[in-house]
Amino acid sequence: MDRPSSSRSRPAAGLPPMTADKIVDVALELTRASGLDGWSIRQLSAALEVWPGVIYHHVGDREAVLDAITNRVIALIPVPDPGLEWREWFRHLLHDGRGVLRQFRGLARRVVLMGPTVPAALPTIDRGIQVLQRAGFGADATLVYRFLLNTAFMMVAVEDDRDDRPESRGRMAEVLGDFQDDGPPGLAAASVDTLARARDPRPAAVLDLEFYEFTVERALDGAASWLTTLSHHP
């Protein structure tokens, strides 16, 4: 492939000038297609038809590109209405957040590991903590916010990982299947549940969403229980 020697040569070659936004646009599409770990700066430069140095000039190294992608993706997650009751506020955020993050495999794990390191996350953090403060969580509002988001988005990261390793879905059934009729009570119960899920005719995506929503509701139950404890111990 013929590449311009620099971004300044593009107009002379009849090509539009390269911009940081264009670089991030293409990086987003590569992430949508192959996951966050599925492309390199060299592959990104090939998709853009520029030398890697052009990416470094406009955006920075791969970590800087990942930050820019993360910022773009987080900005796609709607911030719920601050007037919602706190549980409903987080239901909306975590449901919509999963829908966005699942389009860009690997982003959920980065969000959990890196925390709120991009500007687009700040309005959501501010509003979410305020919602929790008004609900009565007080000084624990930030802790509860982190607990809810990390619990939910770590589940999204696991879904992403299973997409990369489809064989993992059948591995548990292989390991636990033999305990259904002849095993300790706990393993027998786990075997029945695992085999039932393996035989469930519904798509894996439906089962994943069902378990995600279960996880979110139980996390919200835990936070509500803690709120009751706080109200009894001012």
Side-chain angles (χ1 to χ4, degrees):
M1 178 185 64
D2 294 330
R3 295 188 180 96
S5 60
S6 73
S7 62
R8 288 189 297 272
S9 69
R10 291 177 63 83
L15 298 170
M18 187 53 58
T19 65
D21 283 344
K22 174 65 175 176
I23 291 168
V24 177
D25 287 344
V26 174
L28 269 174
E29 290 312 307
L30 289 176
T31 301
R32 192 192 298 271
S34 303
L36 199 66
D37 296 327
W39 55 269
S40 65
I41 287 290
R42 185 172 295 278
Q43 290 168 319
L44 175 58
S45 69
L48 289 160
E49 298 187 348
V50 299
W51 294 107
V54 175
I55 297 172
Y56 289 101
H57 172 74
H58 286 285
V59 180
D61 60 11
R62 190 172 192 276
E63 192 65 20
V65 177
L66 295 183
D67 278 345
I69 291 173
T70 303
N71 194 59
R72 284 275 198 93
V73 172
I74 294 299
L76 296 174
I77 302 174
V79 182
D81 186 329
L84 291 173
E85 182 267 340
W86 72 271
R87 285 185 68 129
E88 195 63 21
W89 194 94
F90 279 92
R91 282 192 190 102
H92 279 274
L93 177 68
L94 299 176
H95 176 81
D96 292 343
R98 177 186 180 273
V100 170
L101 291 172
R102 285 288 283 149
Q103 297 177 53
F104 303 95
R105 202 165 66 254
L107 252 295
R109 184 172 295 279
R110 182 176 178 84
V111 168
V112 173
L113 290 175
M114 303 295 290
T117 57
V118 295
L122 302 182
T124 305
I125 295 168
D126 179 58
R127 186 172 292 180
I129 291 174
Q130 287 189 54
V131 166
L132 292 171
Q133 288 171 333
R134 287 196 299 271
F137 285 94
D140 287 335
T142 55
L143 183 65
V144 172
Y145 182 92
R146 287 168 48 211
F147 162 68
L148 292 173
L149 265 72
N150 286 352
T151 299
F153 290 164
M154 196 61 221
M155 289 302 305
V156 180
V158 170
E159 292 181 56
D160 289 348
D161 290 347
R162 284 176 178 161
D163 284 350
D164 285 334
R165 300 170 181 82
E167 72 281 357
S168 67
R169 293 185 181 274
R171 179 63 175 153
M172 188 174 293
E174 290 179 19
V175 171
L176 295 176
D178 292 339
F179 294 104
Q180 182 174 8
D181 300 317
D182 184 21
L187 289 177
S191 176
V192 170
D193 176 70
T194 300
L195 290 174
R197 283 186 283 112
R199 295 165 182 155
D200 195 313
R202 292 176 296 169
V206 173
L207 300 178
D208 286 345
L209 176 58
E210 187 177 84
F211 188 62
Y212 179 80
E213 291 176 344
F214 174 86
T215 300
V216 168
E217 288 302 316
R218 300 297 74 78
L220 291 169
D221 286 344
S225 177
W226 182 242
L227 180 59
T228 300
T229 301
L230 291 175
S231 66
H232 291 162
H233 298 86

